[in-house]
Amino acid sequence: MNFRCFSAILLGAAACLSLSSCANSSIISLEYVPQPGLMVRGDPDFAVGQFTDKRGEQSQTLGHVRLPIGPSVDTIQTRLPVSDVVRNAFGYALEARGMLATSVKGRFVLTGEIQDLRSQLLVHPYGYARIRVNVVEAISGRVLFTRVYEGERQSTAYRPGSGSPVPLLRDLTSHALQEAVDRALDDTNMRQRIGTGANDNPRYTPGML
């Protein structure tokens, strides 16, 4: 998979932007923006495997925009299934660190479970991610390392009538997912456990998921 070819898309946010009583569905793409000064680079030892969606939601549903009383007035959905969004995020983050195997099969495969990934608005816009990440030895299939990583973002209270909250929810959820991904890949314990090296040749660009 080419993790550099993520296109930007934000559709379906035109209807009910003032949070009226009608139901609406907004389709968003989450963005991963590498932080060159903060990322820990490494060798191209990794491939990306399957991330299983364990959230108990429909595959493309991130959450709902609700008024304090009453039903949801907007449903936030991803363009791709959430399992693909998370897989793409790890692939892109590995590539940004020089850690994505390209010409040969990686020594390690990242897999995991998406325990939570959501956008929501009741009073405060909120984005949250919780992902179990496994580092699997490719040649043997052994799980060498596993840990749960979280990311969380919240904004100030939303004022109904101030415009669509969808772009803000997209950004908060993007940052929450990126925080979880970055914590996983830059985890010193993980790096030491599997004995992967470091590489200082820079290579990064922003990307959409």
Side-chain angles (χ1 to χ4, degrees), residues 39-181:
M39 299 184 306
V40 180
R41 296 185 58 80
D43 291 332
D45 290 333
F46 290 84
V48 186
Q50 182 178 6
F51 280 81
T52 305
D53 188 352
K54 296 288 189 178
R55 300 173 306 137
E57 292 278 358
Q58 294 187 4
S59 65
Q60 292 174 245
T61 299
L62 279 179
H64 305 280
V65 177
R66 300 180 184 276
L67 297 174
I69 299 177
S72 64
V73 295
D74 202 347
T75 298
I76 309 298
Q77 295 184 303
T78 51
R79 178 174 58 89
L80 300 173
V82 164
S83 56
D84 290 340
V85 170
V86 172
R87 184 177 187 273
N88 288 348
F90 275 97
Y92 203 78
L94 286 168
E95 185 178 55
R97 290 164 170 77
M99 295 169 63
L100 183 66
T102 53
S103 58
V104 296
K105 185 177 180 180
R107 293 172 54 204
F108 310 108
V109 180
L110 290 183
T111 67
E113 295 179 350
I114 305 159
Q115 299 178 352
D116 205 347
L117 179 61
R118 58 187 149 106
S119 298
Q120 68 181 41
L121 171 58
L122 183 57
V123 176
H124 296 276
Y126 181 73
Y128 179 69
R130 185 173 70 245
I131 303 169
R132 175 170 290 282
V133 179
N134 307 315
V135 181
V136 180
E137 186 178 48
I139 193 170
S140 68
R142 290 189 303 131
V143 177
L144 303 178
F145 184 87
T146 183
R147 181 168 292 176
V148 174
Y149 299 91
E150 296 178 284
E152 184 177 35
R153 290 291 188 276
Q154 179 173 286
S155 184
T156 56
Y158 173 76
R159 291 178 297 133
S162 62
S164 172
V166 173
L168 176 58
L169 288 168
R170 175 200 60 202
D171 291 344
L172 292 172
T173 310
S174 291
H175 291 317
L177 175 58
Q178 178 160 345
E179 181 179 11
V181 171

Side-chain angles (χ1 to χ4, degrees), residues 170-204:
R170 175 200 60 202
D171 291 344
L172 292 172
T173 310
S174 291
H175 291 317
L177 175 58
Q178 178 160 345
E179 181 179 11
V181 171
D182 287 347
R183 284 179 172 177
L185 297 187
D186 295 335
D187 187 340
T188 302
N189 290 331
M190 181 274 287
R191 301 272 188 129
Q192 291 175 345
R193 180 76 60 84
I194 67 175
T196 188
N199 185 324
D200 294 327
N201 297 322
R203 182 163 164 256
Y204 48 82

Side-chain angles (χ1 to χ4, degrees), residues 28-48:
I28 66 171
S29 287
L30 303 183
E31 185 177 24
Y32 183 90
V33 181
Q35 306 294 318
L38 302 177
M39 299 184 306
V40 180
R41 296 185 58 80
D43 291 332
D45 290 333
F46 290 84
V48 186

